[in-house]
Amino acid sequence: MEVSAQCAQIPNLVFPGYYPELSSDRIITMDWLPGFHLKEFLQRNPSQEARDKIGQALWDFYQFQVHALRKVHADPHPGNFLMRDDGTVGVFDFGCIKEIPEDFYVNYFLLVDKEVLKDEARRREIYTRLEMIHPSDTEREIVFFSELFQKMIDLLTLPFTREEFDFGDESYFSAIYNYMDYLYGLKEVRESKVARGSRHSLYVNRTYFGLYSILSDLKARVITSEARTQGMIGLSRTE
């Protein structure tokens, strides 16, 4: 109820009303939302305009949560959304909400700043804070894993560096999947004796990758600029 109320002002999103007085520990009573799950929606051959509007609404929804609320609906699989021909989308199932600690948030999104990442010492400091590299690592391990992570970061943060991004670009997702296959095939990765990455990053990475997957299926063209994100953050200041 809290997240729904905070996000209700984002254009083209619809949330069901919940009824505590008709609910219990094992039953949740809420409004019925009309719409179609992703596969059904795509079978209706929706217009590119509707795809783009839904894609933009989902992008704005997640950017607002992450950057303004510091918590996020961390289960973005297609079954939790209902899409309509007019470009609106219903959102439900808030059973997995991840709160994002401030120190993690600051360091995680420094990885989008290309100027910061040009500074080798600063980059290593951020990687260490995010537990991507560890104080016990040898210099060889630091160099090896830093290069792997940098390539992955460059790929995954590409939409954040553009004014607009076409999630229908199959070559982009092919590059991601090919690189993931490459990583899984590396002996050094498979046999690493320490976990790589903060436990918080597991939720946030999973959230963004789930979002990317839905936007890819929609073949949505989305405004992903920093100005758009700042506009979303500004919504929380107008309440």
Side-chain angles (χ1 to χ4, degrees):
M1 292 171 68
E2 178 184 337
V3 174
S4 296
Q6 290 170 321
C7 296
Q9 58 200 313
I10 298 173
N12 297 317
L13 292 183
V14 180
F15 299 93
Y18 290 86
Y19 299 91
E21 69 277 10
L22 300 176
S23 302
S24 67
D25 290 343
R26 300 184 66 182
I27 297 172
I28 297 176
T29 304
M30 57 185 176
D31 290 334
W32 176 265
L33 288 183
F36 305 93
H37 290 301
L38 181 60
K39 184 177 179 180
E40 299 171 306
F41 177 70
L42 294 176
Q43 289 173 344
R44 295 173 63 81
N45 193 28
S47 68
Q48 186 65 51
E49 180 184 6
R51 294 167 182 260
D52 292 346
K53 283 177 67 176
I54 290 173
Q56 190 69 62
L58 290 173
W59 179 267
D60 292 344
F61 176 52
Y62 278 95
Q63 291 296 83
F64 179 77
Q65 291 175 90
V66 170
H67 295 289
L69 304 184
R70 297 291 199 275
K71 55 189 171 186
V72 66
H73 178 294
D75 193 15
H77 70 75
N80 287 338
F81 305 101
L82 288 170
M83 303 173 185
R84 300 108 178 275
D85 295 329
D86 64 357
T88 58
V89 55
V91 185
F92 54 95
D93 192 352
F94 291 83
C96 182
I97 297 291
K98 170 61 181 172
E99 295 191 1
I100 304 173
E102 184 67 19
D103 59 340
F104 169 79
Y105 170 86
V106 170
N107 284 284
Y108 187 88
F109 284 98
L110 281 173
L111 297 178
V112 182
D113 190 328
K114 300 302 182 184
E115 293 303 314
V116 168
L117 295 180
K118 288 178 182 178
D119 184 334
E120 177 65 22
R122 185 84 184 278
R123 182 157 60 98
R124 288 193 180 192
E125 180 183 344
I126 295 168
Y127 284 176
T128 301
R129 289 176 180 172
L130 293 173
E131 301 175 41
M132 298 159 78
I133 59 177
H134 298 269
S136 60
D137 287 338
T138 65
E139 179 64 20
R140 179 181 178 279
E141 288 173 324
I142 290 173
V143 171
F144 176 79
F145 283 105
S146 292
E147 290 179 353
L148 291 184
F149 282 124
Q150 187 58 54
K151 172 66 173 177
M152 182 171 64
I153 290 164
D154 289 343
L155 278 171
L156 296 179
T157 62
L158 186 61
F160 293 89
T161 68
R162 303 284 179 83
E163 291 296 308
E164 182 177 303
F165 197 80
D166 182 2
F167 284 92
D169 182 356
E170 294 181 3
S171 65
Y172 173 64
F173 288 94
S174 293
I176 291 177
Y177 294 134
N178 289 339
Y179 190 65
M180 293 301 180
D181 288 342
Y182 168 71
L183 290 181
Y184 292 142
L186 291 174
K187 178 181 178 182
E188 294 89 343
V189 173
R190 295 197 312 270
E191 297 181 359
S192 178
K193 296 180 180 178
V194 294
R196 301 283 170 181
S198 161
R199 61 187 176 87
H200 304 299
S201 66
L202 295 176
Y203 285 93
V204 177
N205 290 345
R206 174 176 178 263
T207 296
Y208 272 111
F209 196 74
L211 173 62
Y212 282 18
S213 296
I214 293 174
L215 297 179
S216 173
D217 287 339
L218 284 169
K219 300 188 184 304
R221 297 171 302 201
V222 177
I223 299 171
T224 56
S225 65
E226 175 65 17
R228 182 79 183 192
T229 298
Q230 291 302 318
M232 287 298 102
I233 295 173
L235 288 177
S236 66
R237 300 175 184 141
T238 61
E239 295 178 346

